[in-house]
Amino acid sequence: MSAGTSRRALLAVALIGFAVGLVVSVRFDLFPSSQAINLFGGGEKAAEESGSTGAPPAVALPDFAGLAEHLSPSVVNISSTQEVKGGPSLGVPGGPGGPGGEGDPFHEFFEPFEKFFGPPRRPYKAKSLGSGFVIDTKGYILTNNHVVENADEIVVKLSTSHSSRSTAPPI
């Protein structure tokens, strides 16, 4: 038996098996009709036509505009400032002001910059922006850690244009 003949035989057996499986599943109703709820309407006519007495319950979606209007006063804008000592590190080992040395793979790339400009020495202010929301009447605000991590100053602006400065560390 050649390779081409065996492939044809295998394909024929696979197609016959698929056809038999399809006939058996239809005959024994192995895949009944779906009982999913239609959120967008139009399912009532199909239920009436089929003579079904138990109509699925109606589902109403919430009004997003009203929800956003109701909750928007609790959303805040957060900006923080941090004084970074030393130079900016590009986040890679061996970068300007970063760790590394002769064995570091990035040493060859950053070495000409450090020779020409010198190693960065002056401190600078890093700024971060983010958002959060008020979770308690006492004024607790929930936000991502990277927005306020190591911050020297945090400014919170409410949607009412009221802002508040804080030099205290976040909880």
Side-chain angles (χ1 to χ4, degrees):
M1 192 181 224
S2 70
T5 308
S6 64
R7 284 185 186 160
R8 286 188 197 120
L10 181 63
L11 181 61
V13 169
L15 287 175
I16 291 171
F18 177 74
V20 168
L22 188 62
V23 168
V24 169
S25 67
V26 168
R27 173 74 175 113
F28 293 112
D29 197 23
L30 297 178
F31 299 105
S33 62
S34 173
Q35 299 297 320
I37 297 172
N38 188 351
L39 296 177
F40 301 105
E44 295 82 17
K45 292 179 185 175
E48 291 170 5
E49 291 172 3
S50 66
S52 170
T53 58
V59 176
L61 297 175
D63 179 26
F64 183 73
L67 185 66
E69 184 179 339
H70 177 69
L71 295 176
S72 65
S74 65
V75 177
V76 297
N77 178 299
I78 302 171
S79 59
S80 63
T81 307
Q82 158 187 8
E83 186 169 339
V84 179
K85 310 288 187 213
S89 175
L90 297 179
V92 292
E102 294 295 326
D104 188 48
F106 295 103
H107 178 72
E108 289 182 26
F109 178 74
F110 289 112
E111 184 181 26
F113 292 102
E114 288 183 359
K115 282 184 179 178
F116 185 75
F117 295 109
R121 295 183 189 145
R122 294 186 302 170
Y124 66 98
K125 292 203 179 252
K127 295 184 179 187
S128 178
L129 292 172
S131 62
F133 52 94
V134 181
I135 60 171
D136 191 64
T137 56
K138 295 179 183 176
Y140 288 110
I141 296 171
L142 185 65
T143 187
N144 288 325
N145 183 52
H146 69 89
V147 176
V148 294
E149 186 176 32
N150 301 324
D152 295 328
E153 181 182 50
I154 301 170
V155 178
V156 176
K157 293 181 183 175
L158 303 174
S159 61
T160 59
S161 301
H162 183 323
S163 66
S164 175
R165 291 185 184 273
S166 171
T167 55
I171 297 175

